[in-house]
PDB file of all heavy atoms in Angstrom:
ATOM      1  N   ARG A 271      -2.242  32.745   7.144  1.00 57.00           N
ATOM      2  CA  ARG A 271      -2.201  31.805   8.265  1.00 57.00           C
ATOM      3  C   ARG A 271      -3.360  30.814   8.198  1.00 57.00           C
ATOM      4  O   ARG A 271      -3.302  29.746   8.765  1.00 57.00           O
ATOM      5  CB  ARG A 271      -2.287  32.562   9.589  1.00 57.00           C
ATOM      6  CG  ARG A 271      -1.128  33.454   9.856  1.00 57.00           C
ATOM      7  CD  ARG A 271      -0.069  32.690  10.551  1.00 57.00           C
ATOM      8  NE  ARG A 271       0.992  33.598  10.950  1.00 57.00           N
ATOM      9  CZ  ARG A 271       2.212  33.214  11.148  1.00 57.00           C
ATOM     10  NH1 ARG A 271       2.520  31.960  11.003  1.00 57.00           N
ATOM     11  NH2 ARG A 271       3.127  34.067  11.491  1.00 57.00           N
ATOM     12  N   LEU A 272      -4.428  31.192   7.505  1.00 58.00           N
ATOM     13  CA  LEU A 272      -5.598  30.341   7.438  1.00 58.00           C
ATOM     14  C   LEU A 272      -5.457  29.238   6.398  1.00 58.00           C
ATOM     15  O   LEU A 272      -6.156  28.245   6.446  1.00 58.00           O
ATOM     16  CB  LEU A 272      -6.842  31.187   7.133  1.00 58.00           C
ATOM     17  CG  LEU A 272      -7.141  32.291   8.144  1.00 58.00           C
ATOM     18  CD1 LEU A 272      -8.324  33.121   7.678  1.00 58.00           C
ATOM     19  CD2 LEU A 272      -7.407  31.709   9.515  1.00 58.00           C
ATOM     20  N   GLN A 273      -4.545  29.403   5.447  1.00 58.00           N
ATOM     21  CA  GLN A 273      -4.365  28.411   4.404  1.00 58.00           C
ATOM     22  C   GLN A 273      -3.367  27.361   4.860  1.00 58.00           C
ATOM     23  O   GLN A 273      -2.439  27.662   5.595  1.00 58.00           O
ATOM     24  CB  GLN A 273      -3.856  29.065   3.122  1.00 58.00           C
ATOM     25  CG  GLN A 273      -4.865  30.009   2.504  1.00 58.00           C
ATOM     26  CD  GLN A 273      -4.286  30.680   1.266  1.00 58.00           C
ATOM     27  OE1 GLN A 273      -3.109  30.559   0.995  1.00 58.00           O
ATOM     28  NE2 GLN A 273      -5.134  31.384   0.549  1.00 58.00           N
ATOM     29  N   PRO A 274      -3.560  26.121   4.445  1.00 57.00           N
ATOM     30  CA  PRO A 274      -2.601  25.082   4.833  1.00 57.00           C
ATOM     31  C   PRO A 274      -1.235  25.371   4.223  1.00 57.00           C
ATOM     32  O   PRO A 274      -1.124  25.867   3.102  1.00 57.00           O
ATOM     33  CB  PRO A 274      -3.212  23.797   4.285  1.00 57.00           C
ATOM     34  CG  PRO A 274      -4.170  24.228   3.236  1.00 57.00           C
ATOM     35  CD  PRO A 274      -4.642  25.601   3.612  1.00 57.00           C
ATOM     36  N   SER A 275      -0.199  25.057   4.966  1.00 61.00           N
ATOM     37  CA  SER A 275       1.157  25.360   4.510  1.00 61.00           C
ATOM     38  C   SER A 275       1.647  24.378   3.447  1.00 61.00           C
ATOM     39  O   SER A 275       2.568  24.680   2.714  1.00 61.00           O
ATOM     40  CB  SER A 275       2.117  25.340   5.697  1.00 61.00           C
ATOM     41  OG  SER A 275       2.126  24.061   6.282  1.00 61.00           O
ATOM     42  N   ARG A 276       1.040  23.203   3.364  1.00 63.00           N
ATOM     43  CA  ARG A 276       1.522  22.195   2.424  1.00 63.00           C
ATOM     44  C   ARG A 276       0.893  22.331   1.045  1.00 63.00           C
ATOM     45  O   ARG A 276       1.355  21.721   0.105  1.00 63.00           O
ATOM     46  CB  ARG A 276       1.235  20.796   2.967  1.00 63.00           C
ATOM     47  CG  ARG A 276       1.884  20.565   4.310  1.00 63.00           C
ATOM     48  CD  ARG A 276       1.563  19.217   4.805  1.00 63.00           C
ATOM     49  NE  ARG A 276       2.738  18.394   4.596  1.00 63.00           N
ATOM     50  CZ  ARG A 276       2.744  17.086   4.703  1.00 63.00           C
ATOM     51  NH1 ARG A 276       1.643  16.458   5.003  1.00 63.00           N
ATOM     52  NH2 ARG A 276       3.834  16.405   4.515  1.00 63.00           N
ATOM     53  N   GLY A 277      -0.153  23.085   0.912  1.00 66.00           N
ATOM     54  CA  GLY A 277      -0.792  23.224  -0.390  1.00 66.00           C
ATOM     55  C   GLY A 277      -1.743  22.079  -0.655  1.00 66.00           C
ATOM     56  O   GLY A 277      -2.095  21.300   0.218  1.00 66.00           O
ATOM     57  N   TYR A 278      -2.166  21.973  -1.891  1.00 71.00           N
ATOM     58  CA  TYR A 278      -3.126  20.950  -2.270  1.00 71.00           C
ATOM     59  C   TYR A 278      -2.417  19.633  -2.584  1.00 71.00           C
ATOM     60  O   TYR A 278      -1.255  19.605  -2.981  1.00 71.00           O
ATOM     61  CB  TYR A 278      -3.928  21.404  -3.491  1.00 71.00           C
ATOM     62  CG  TYR A 278      -4.776  22.605  -3.186  1.00 71.00           C
ATOM     63  CD1 TYR A 278      -4.417  23.857  -3.656  1.00 71.00           C
ATOM     64  CD2 TYR A 278      -5.922  22.481  -2.418  1.00 71.00           C
ATOM     65  CE1 TYR A 278      -5.183  24.960  -3.360  1.00 71.00           C
ATOM     66  CE2 TYR A 278      -6.689  23.571  -2.119  1.00 71.00           C
ATOM     67  CZ  TYR A 278      -6.327  24.823  -2.591  1.00 71.00           C
ATOM     68  OH  TYR A 278      -7.074  25.904  -2.296  1.00 71.00           O
ATOM     69  N   HIS A 279      -3.152  18.539  -2.438  1.00 74.00           N
ATOM     70  CA  HIS A 279      -2.580  17.225  -2.706  1.00 74.00           C
ATOM     71  C   HIS A 279      -2.413  17.031  -4.213  1.00 74.00           C
ATOM     72  O   HIS A 279      -3.309  17.306  -4.991  1.00 74.00           O
ATOM     73  CB  HIS A 279      -3.487  16.133  -2.143  1.00 74.00           C
ATOM     74  CG  HIS A 279      -2.991  14.765  -2.449  1.00 74.00           C
ATOM     75  ND1 HIS A 279      -1.880  14.232  -1.850  1.00 74.00           N
ATOM     76  CD2 HIS A 279      -3.440  13.820  -3.311  1.00 74.00           C
ATOM     77  CE1 HIS A 279      -1.676  13.019  -2.317  1.00 74.00           C
ATOM     78  NE2 HIS A 279      -2.607  12.742  -3.203  1.00 74.00           N
ATOM     79  N   VAL A 280      -1.250  16.558  -4.590  1.00 79.00           N
ATOM     80  CA  VAL A 280      -0.950  16.281  -5.992  1.00 79.00           C
ATOM     81  C   VAL A 280      -0.571  14.814  -6.086  1.00 79.00           C
ATOM     82  O   VAL A 280       0.196  14.297  -5.271  1.00 79.00           O
ATOM     83  CB  VAL A 280       0.216  17.174  -6.483  1.00 79.00           C
ATOM     84  CG1 VAL A 280       0.560  16.858  -7.915  1.00 79.00           C
ATOM     85  CG2 VAL A 280      -0.119  18.636  -6.311  1.00 79.00           C
ATOM     86  N   GLU A 281      -1.103  14.131  -7.074  1.00 86.00           N
ATOM     87  CA  GLU A 281      -0.778  12.718  -7.262  1.00 86.00           C
ATOM     88  C   GLU A 281       0.711  12.561  -7.574  1.00 86.00           C
ATOM     89  O   GLU A 281       1.303  13.390  -8.246  1.00 86.00           O
ATOM     90  CB  GLU A 281      -1.607  12.132  -8.405  1.00 86.00           C
ATOM     91  CG  GLU A 281      -3.036  11.851  -8.030  1.00 86.00           C
ATOM     92  CD  GLU A 281      -3.150  10.782  -6.957  1.00 86.00           C
ATOM     93  OE1 GLU A 281      -2.403   9.784  -6.996  1.00 86.00           O
ATOM     94  OE2 GLU A 281      -3.993  10.963  -6.064  1.00 86.00           O
ATOM     95  N   LEU A 282       1.292  11.463  -7.081  1.00 87.00           N
ATOM     96  CA  LEU A 282       2.694  11.188  -7.340  1.00 87.00           C
ATOM     97  C   LEU A 282       2.889  10.766  -8.788  1.00 87.00           C
ATOM     98  O   LEU A 282       2.032  10.089  -9.373  1.00 87.00           O
ATOM     99  CB  LEU A 282       3.178  10.070  -6.422  1.00 87.00           C
ATOM    100  CG  LEU A 282       3.134  10.359  -4.928  1.00 87.00           C
ATOM    101  CD1 LEU A 282       3.557   9.129  -4.150  1.00 87.00           C
ATOM    102  CD2 LEU A 282       4.013  11.532  -4.591  1.00 87.00           C
ATOM    103  N   GLY A 283       4.030  11.138  -9.320  1.00 89.00           N
ATOM    104  CA  GLY A 283       4.363  10.739 -10.675  1.00 89.00           C
ATOM    105  C   GLY A 283       4.970   9.345 -10.706  1.00 89.00           C
ATOM    106  O   GLY A 283       5.162   8.696  -9.681  1.00 89.00           O
ATOM    107  N   ALA A 284       5.311   8.884 -11.889  1.00 92.00           N
ATOM    108  CA  ALA A 284       5.873   7.538 -12.045  1.00 92.00           C
ATOM    109  C   ALA A 284       7.214   7.415 -11.338  1.00 92.00           C
ATOM    110  O   ALA A 284       7.514   6.384 -10.708  1.00 92.00           O
ATOM    111  CB  ALA A 284       6.021   7.213 -13.524  1.00 92.00           C
ATOM    112  N   ARG A 285       8.031   8.457 -11.398  1.00 92.00           N
ATOM    113  CA  ARG A 285       9.359   8.413 -10.764  1.00 92.00           C
ATOM    114  C   ARG A 285       9.232   8.333  -9.249  1.00 92.00           C
ATOM    115  O   ARG A 285       9.935   7.559  -8.590  1.00 92.00           O
ATOM    116  CB  ARG A 285      10.158   9.650 -11.159  1.00 92.00           C
ATOM    117  CG  ARG A 285      11.566   9.648 -10.620  1.00 92.00           C
ATOM    118  CD  ARG A 285      12.371  10.788 -11.231  1.00 92.00           C
ATOM    119  NE  ARG A 285      13.745  10.693 -10.836  1.00 92.00           N
ATOM    120  CZ  ARG A 285      14.269  11.309  -9.774  1.00 92.00           C
ATOM    121  NH1 ARG A 285      13.523  12.076  -9.027  1.00 92.00           N
ATOM    122  NH2 ARG A 285      15.547  11.165  -9.473  1.00 92.00           N
ATOM    123  N   GLU A 286       8.333   9.130  -8.673  1.00 90.00           N
ATOM    124  CA  GLU A 286       8.146   9.108  -7.228  1.00 90.00           C
ATOM    125  C   GLU A 286       7.610   7.763  -6.760  1.00 90.00           C
ATOM    126  O   GLU A 286       8.031   7.226  -5.739  1.00 90.00           O
ATOM    127  CB  GLU A 286       7.194  10.227  -6.781  1.00 90.00           C
ATOM    128  CG  GLU A 286       7.794  11.610  -6.866  1.00 90.00           C
ATOM    129  CD  GLU A 286       7.605  12.251  -8.213  1.00 90.00           C
ATOM    130  OE1 GLU A 286       6.961  11.629  -9.093  1.00 90.00           O
ATOM    131  OE2 GLU A 286       8.099  13.371  -8.409  1.00 90.00           O
ATOM    132  N   LYS A 287       6.684   7.196  -7.518  1.00 90.00           N
ATOM    133  CA  LYS A 287       6.149   5.891  -7.155  1.00 90.00           C
ATOM    134  C   LYS A 287       7.225   4.816  -7.224  1.00 90.00           C
ATOM    135  O   LYS A 287       7.292   3.926  -6.379  1.00 90.00           O
ATOM    136  CB  LYS A 287       4.980   5.529  -8.072  1.00 90.00           C
ATOM    137  CG  LYS A 287       3.737   6.339  -7.777  1.00 90.00           C
ATOM    138  CD  LYS A 287       2.610   5.950  -8.706  1.00 90.00           C
ATOM    139  CE  LYS A 287       1.371   6.792  -8.437  1.00 90.00           C
ATOM    140  NZ  LYS A 287       0.277   6.487  -9.359  1.00 90.00           N
ATOM    141  N   ALA A 288       8.090   4.909  -8.236  1.00 90.00           N
ATOM    142  CA  ALA A 288       9.178   3.935  -8.369  1.00 90.00           C
ATOM    143  C   ALA A 288      10.164   4.062  -7.210  1.00 90.00           C
ATOM    144  O   ALA A 288      10.692   3.059  -6.712  1.00 90.00           O
ATOM    145  CB  ALA A 288       9.886   4.123  -9.702  1.00 90.00           C
ATOM    146  N   LEU A 289      10.412   5.290  -6.751  1.00 88.00           N
ATOM    147  CA  LEU A 289      11.347   5.491  -5.642  1.00 88.00           C
ATOM    148  C   LEU A 289      10.769   4.990  -4.319  1.00 88.00           C
ATOM    149  O   LEU A 289      11.522   4.586  -3.424  1.00 88.00           O
ATOM    150  CB  LEU A 289      11.707   6.967  -5.512  1.00 88.00           C
ATOM    151  CG  LEU A 289      12.628   7.526  -6.604  1.00 88.00           C
ATOM    152  CD1 LEU A 289      12.737   9.025  -6.478  1.00 88.00           C
ATOM    153  CD2 LEU A 289      14.003   6.881  -6.504  1.00 88.00           C
ATOM    154  N   LEU A 290       9.460   5.007  -4.181  1.00 88.00           N
ATOM    155  CA  LEU A 290       8.835   4.570  -2.944  1.00 88.00           C
ATOM    156  C   LEU A 290       8.616   3.067  -2.881  1.00 88.00           C
ATOM    157  O   LEU A 290       8.323   2.527  -1.815  1.00 88.00           O
ATOM    158  CB  LEU A 290       7.494   5.292  -2.748  1.00 88.00           C
ATOM    159  CG  LEU A 290       7.602   6.780  -2.430  1.00 88.00           C
ATOM    160  CD1 LEU A 290       6.235   7.406  -2.421  1.00 88.00           C
ATOM    161  CD2 LEU A 290       8.308   6.997  -1.105  1.00 88.00           C
ATOM    162  N   GLU A 291       8.766   2.378  -3.994  1.00 89.00           N
ATOM    163  CA  GLU A 291       8.594   0.922  -3.990  1.00 89.00           C
ATOM    164  C   GLU A 291       9.740   0.258  -3.250  1.00 89.00           C
ATOM    165  O   GLU A 291      10.841   0.781  -3.155  1.00 89.00           O
ATOM    166  CB  GLU A 291       8.545   0.398  -5.433  1.00 89.00           C
ATOM    167  CG  GLU A 291       7.248   0.702  -6.137  1.00 89.00           C
ATOM    168  CD  GLU A 291       7.240   0.166  -7.557  1.00 89.00           C
ATOM    169  OE1 GLU A 291       8.203  -0.535  -7.945  1.00 89.00           O
ATOM    170  OE2 GLU A 291       6.275   0.460  -8.270  1.00 89.00           O
ATOM    171  N   GLU A 292       9.463  -0.947  -2.722  1.00 85.00           N
ATOM    172  CA  GLU A 292      10.487  -1.689  -2.000  1.00 85.00           C
ATOM    173  C   GLU A 292      11.527  -2.220  -2.979  1.00 85.00           C
ATOM    174  O   GLU A 292      11.190  -2.792  -4.014  1.00 85.00           O
ATOM    175  CB  GLU A 292       9.828  -2.842  -1.248  1.00 85.00           C
ATOM    176  CG  GLU A 292      10.749  -3.508  -0.270  1.00 85.00           C
ATOM    177  CD  GLU A 292      10.011  -4.478   0.610  1.00 85.00           C
ATOM    178  OE1 GLU A 292       8.896  -4.141   1.040  1.00 85.00           O
ATOM    179  OE2 GLU A 292      10.551  -5.559   0.857  1.00 85.00           O
ATOM    180  N   ASP A 293      12.787  -2.058  -2.644  1.00 83.00           N
ATOM    181  CA  ASP A 293      13.878  -2.496  -3.507  1.00 83.00           C
ATOM    182  C   ASP A 293      14.398  -3.843  -3.001  1.00 83.00           C
ATOM    183  O   ASP A 293      14.771  -3.972  -1.834  1.00 83.00           O
ATOM    184  CB  ASP A 293      15.001  -1.454  -3.500  1.00 83.00           C
ATOM    185  CG  ASP A 293      16.015  -1.686  -4.601  1.00 83.00           C
ATOM    186  OD1 ASP A 293      15.885  -2.690  -5.334  1.00 83.00           O
ATOM    187  OD2 ASP A 293      16.932  -0.861  -4.735  1.00 83.00           O
ATOM    188  N   VAL A 294      14.422  -4.821  -3.881  1.00 83.00           N
ATOM    189  CA  VAL A 294      14.856  -6.175  -3.502  1.00 83.00           C
ATOM    190  C   VAL A 294      16.341  -6.182  -3.153  1.00 83.00           C
ATOM    191  O   VAL A 294      16.772  -6.896  -2.234  1.00 83.00           O
ATOM    192  CB  VAL A 294      14.555  -7.157  -4.652  1.00 83.00           C
ATOM    193  CG1 VAL A 294      15.015  -8.557  -4.296  1.00 83.00           C
ATOM    194  CG2 VAL A 294      13.075  -7.143  -4.976  1.00 83.00           C
ATOM    195  N   ALA A 295      17.143  -5.369  -3.826  1.00 83.00           N
ATOM    196  CA  ALA A 295      18.582  -5.346  -3.568  1.00 83.00           C
ATOM    197  C   ALA A 295      18.902  -4.806  -2.176  1.00 83.00           C
ATOM    198  O   ALA A 295      19.921  -5.161  -1.583  1.00 83.00           O
ATOM    199  CB  ALA A 295      19.285  -4.502  -4.623  1.00 83.00           C
ATOM    200  N   LEU A 296      18.046  -3.961  -1.637  1.00 80.00           N
ATOM    201  CA  LEU A 296      18.296  -3.381  -0.317  1.00 80.00           C
ATOM    202  C   LEU A 296      17.633  -4.154   0.820  1.00 80.00           C
ATOM    203  O   LEU A 296      17.813  -3.819   1.982  1.00 80.00           O
ATOM    204  CB  LEU A 296      17.794  -1.932  -0.291  1.00 80.00           C
ATOM    205  CG  LEU A 296      18.467  -0.974  -1.271  1.00 80.00           C
ATOM    206  CD1 LEU A 296      17.804   0.379  -1.215  1.00 80.00           C
ATOM    207  CD2 LEU A 296      19.949  -0.867  -0.985  1.00 80.00           C
ATOM    208  N   LYS A 297      16.900  -5.191   0.488  1.00 78.00           N
ATOM    209  CA  LYS A 297      16.152  -5.925   1.499  1.00 78.00           C
ATOM    210  C   LYS A 297      17.069  -6.599   2.521  1.00 78.00           C
ATOM    211  O   LYS A 297      16.721  -6.688   3.698  1.00 78.00           O
ATOM    212  CB  LYS A 297      15.268  -6.972   0.821  1.00 78.00           C
ATOM    213  CG  LYS A 297      14.151  -7.443   1.689  1.00 78.00           C
ATOM    214  CD  LYS A 297      13.155  -8.223   0.874  1.00 78.00           C
ATOM    215  CE  LYS A 297      11.892  -8.349   1.695  1.00 78.00           C
ATOM    216  NZ  LYS A 297      10.786  -8.813   0.926  1.00 78.00           N
ATOM    217  N   ARG A 298      18.251  -7.023   2.108  1.00 76.00           N
ATOM    218  CA  ARG A 298      19.141  -7.703   3.051  1.00 76.00           C
ATOM    219  C   ARG A 298      19.706  -6.769   4.110  1.00 76.00           C
ATOM    220  O   ARG A 298      20.168  -7.199   5.153  1.00 76.00           O
ATOM    221  CB  ARG A 298      20.281  -8.400   2.312  1.00 76.00           C
ATOM    222  CG  ARG A 298      21.221  -7.447   1.626  1.00 76.00           C
ATOM    223  CD  ARG A 298      22.296  -8.209   0.882  1.00 76.00           C
ATOM    224  NE  ARG A 298      23.206  -7.274   0.241  1.00 76.00           N
ATOM    225  CZ  ARG A 298      24.490  -7.445   0.150  1.00 76.00           C
ATOM    226  NH1 ARG A 298      25.042  -8.544   0.631  1.00 76.00           N
ATOM    227  NH2 ARG A 298      25.247  -6.556  -0.433  1.00 76.00           N
ATOM    228  N   PHE A 299      19.695  -5.455   3.872  1.00 73.00           N
ATOM    229  CA  PHE A 299      20.214  -4.494   4.848  1.00 73.00           C
ATOM    230  C   PHE A 299      19.155  -4.083   5.872  1.00 73.00           C
ATOM    231  O   PHE A 299      19.455  -3.373   6.810  1.00 73.00           O
ATOM    232  CB  PHE A 299      20.737  -3.247   4.141  1.00 73.00           C
ATOM    233  CG  PHE A 299      21.898  -3.525   3.243  1.00 73.00           C
ATOM    234  CD1 PHE A 299      21.749  -3.481   1.878  1.00 73.00           C
ATOM    235  CD2 PHE A 299      23.134  -3.848   3.767  1.00 73.00           C
ATOM    236  CE1 PHE A 299      22.816  -3.747   1.052  1.00 73.00           C
ATOM    237  CE2 PHE A 299      24.201  -4.121   2.958  1.00 73.00           C
ATOM    238  CZ  PHE A 299      24.050  -4.070   1.574  1.00 73.00           C
ATOM    239  N   LYS A 300      17.944  -4.520   5.687  1.00 72.00           N
ATOM    240  CA  LYS A 300      16.855  -4.133   6.574  1.00 72.00           C
ATOM    241  C   LYS A 300      17.049  -4.691   7.980  1.00 72.00           C
ATOM    242  O   LYS A 300      16.599  -4.107   8.952  1.00 72.00           O
ATOM    243  CB  LYS A 300      15.524  -4.598   5.994  1.00 72.00           C
ATOM    244  CG  LYS A 300      14.324  -4.004   6.669  1.00 72.00           C
ATOM    245  CD  LYS A 300      13.068  -4.365   5.927  1.00 72.00           C
ATOM    246  CE  LYS A 300      11.877  -3.682   6.557  1.00 72.00           C
ATOM    247  NZ  LYS A 300      10.653  -3.981   5.843  1.00 72.00           N
ATOM    248  N   SER A 301      17.740  -5.803   8.111  1.00 71.00           N
ATOM    249  CA  SER A 301      17.920  -6.429   9.416  1.00 71.00           C
ATOM    250  C   SER A 301      18.792  -5.591  10.338  1.00 71.00           C
ATOM    251  O   SER A 301      18.768  -5.774  11.547  1.00 71.00           O
ATOM    252  CB  SER A 301      18.528  -7.822   9.254  1.00 71.00           C
ATOM    253  OG  SER A 301      19.806  -7.708   8.679  1.00 71.00           O
TER     254      SER A 301
END
């Protein structure tokens, strides 16, 4: 119970960073 449930922070990989970037093709649906 004393340890954090999420664990230690790990840097995002290239795939995760690419998925989090803004997509130009989806920008028109933001409205």
